[in-house]
Amino acid sequence: MDFNLSREHQLVRKMMAEFTENEVKPIAAETDKTSQYPRENIEKLFNLGVMGMCVPKEYGGAGADPLASAICIEELSKQCASTGDIVATHNGLCCDPIITHGTEAQKAKYLPMLTKGHKVGAFCLTESDAGSDAAKGQTEAKLDGDHYVLNGSKIFITNGYVADVFVVFAMTDKSKGTRGISAFIVESSFPGFSVGKHEEKMGLHGSPTAEIVFTDCIVPKENLLGQEGKGFKIAMQTLDGGRIGIAAQALGIAEGAMEEAMAYTKGRVQFGKPISKFQNTQFTFADMAMRSEAGRLLTYQAAVLKGEGKRFTKEAAMAKLFCSEHAMLTTTKALQMFGGYGYTKDYPLERMMRDAKITEIYEGTSEIQRVVISGNIGL
């Protein structure tokens, strides 16, 4: 088994590390402070081919594999988890289900928009009373001649107030439970589509999160994604892939926090020597490095399995669970090394710790990941 990255993947990492250092890091603190969507950098990422990078070349994408995508998200998240989140949502939760389940006509129309067309994508599943229990969703879609009429609302939608294309899940037959859920491709320009509340969050301030409202929203019949009643399966398959992106995001946050702490402790002198020379500090860094290596192996394994067309549900859940808990623990311990300075906004650790927390919650809480894992180990 070869654990070495290919030359192509090494080049992807180099490109994204340079972009993150030169373009993302300088504005990360201001992005968080102002809750400003990093529009210019997202446009640059479109130009680099990162947005929609796994889209096949014939539809305008780079034809990259899931591992390349994970590496991009990991590198971006080392300095700005908001930027990593925007990319992960666009690539994993919007482009991917259209690639996997779309008709030829849908792929030919929407994938070029989401790559060369610089249109941002989003994913609409969560509702106020339907979080982990997605089957409780109340948004309805009724067929009316040559179109569906959608009514309802979705909450906590990443990219919500900047996105142009949404993959939306709605009940086409409530009597069938999960088998009554269908998926649709919805454009923000469709009649009856509107953006509701803009969420003010604890972290990820640069990632635009909003409520999406459908009021007699007209969706062409041909925008049904997959078959009617198969939406729940599409949602779960999409979240499997999306969890690789969140694992990569969490891994990046942890790695960024460790790098910041190492630089700080080498320069901070107490009791006559840098605090990096104290054994307790070194043991803490050893644990961080070990968990990052383990998290990277889990994440890359899941990405490779996905790229090979093999089942990866368990592996993605393990990667997401491990890396998100690693990010939370690492940012907490790294902040502690800064003492009182870490609790101020003069350093990025408090931002990184706030950003890390959401990785334990969205795209399936840590509790849900344990349910997924236990259900896939033969119990």
Side-chain angles (χ1 to χ4, degrees), residues 73 76-77 80-89 245 249:
I73 295 164
L76 289 168
S77 300
C80 181
S82 291
T83 305
D85 187 42
I86 293 163
V87 174
T89 298
Q249 179 193 27

Side-chain angles (χ1 to χ4, degrees), residues 126-311:
T126 302
E127 298 185 15
S128 58
D129 197 36
S132 298
D133 187 1
K136 290 182 68 180
Q138 296 299 305
T139 298
E140 287 190 271
K142 293 185 178 181
L143 184 60
D144 184 10
D146 63 352
H147 62 267
Y148 286 89
V149 180
L150 269 63
N151 280 286
S153 63
K154 302 289 182 175
I155 62 168
F156 303 146
I157 305 305
T158 301
N159 296 344
Y161 55 87
V162 299
D164 307 279
V165 179
F166 296 74
V167 173
V168 179
F169 298 86
M171 286 286 187
T172 45
D173 189 342
K174 285 188 176 182
S175 69
K176 293 183 179 179
T178 57
R179 295 183 180 180
I181 300 174
S182 300
F184 301 88
I185 303 172
V186 179
E187 298 179 41
S188 59
S189 60
F190 285 175
F193 177 99
S194 63
V195 176
K197 177 185 177 184
H198 291 202
E199 297 293 344
E200 295 185 21
K201 309 185 299 293
M202 172 181 170
L204 293 186
H205 290 170
S207 175
T209 307
E211 175 190 27
I212 302 298
V213 181
F214 307 99
T215 307
D216 292 332
C217 181
I218 304 301
V219 179
K221 186 177 179 180
E222 59 266 25
N223 277 41
L224 174 70
L225 183 61
Q227 298 177 351
E228 192 169 291
K230 301 295 184 180
F232 185 75
K233 183 177 181 180
I234 292 173
M236 295 303 103
Q237 289 178 345
T238 301
L239 288 173
D240 280 347
R243 285 166 184 160
I244 299 172
I246 301 308
Q249 179 193 27
L251 177 62
I253 295 170
E255 290 171 330
M258 180 176 171
E259 289 172 4
E260 290 287 342
M262 288 181 70
Y264 179 82
T265 57
K266 288 177 181 179
R268 175 70 169 172
V269 176
Q270 295 286 278
F271 304 104
K273 61 181 178 180
I275 59 176
S276 62
K277 297 299 183 181
F278 288 97
Q279 190 178 67
N280 65 330
T281 305
Q282 295 177 341
F283 281 6
T284 300
F285 280 129
D287 287 342
M288 289 178 181
M290 175 183 65
R291 286 192 296 269
S292 283
E293 193 67 23
R296 189 176 302 109
L297 290 171
L298 284 168
T299 303
Y300 289 9
Q301 174 188 230
V304 169
L305 287 173
K306 184 178 188 296
E308 293 176 344
K310 297 177 181 177
R311 183 172 172 82

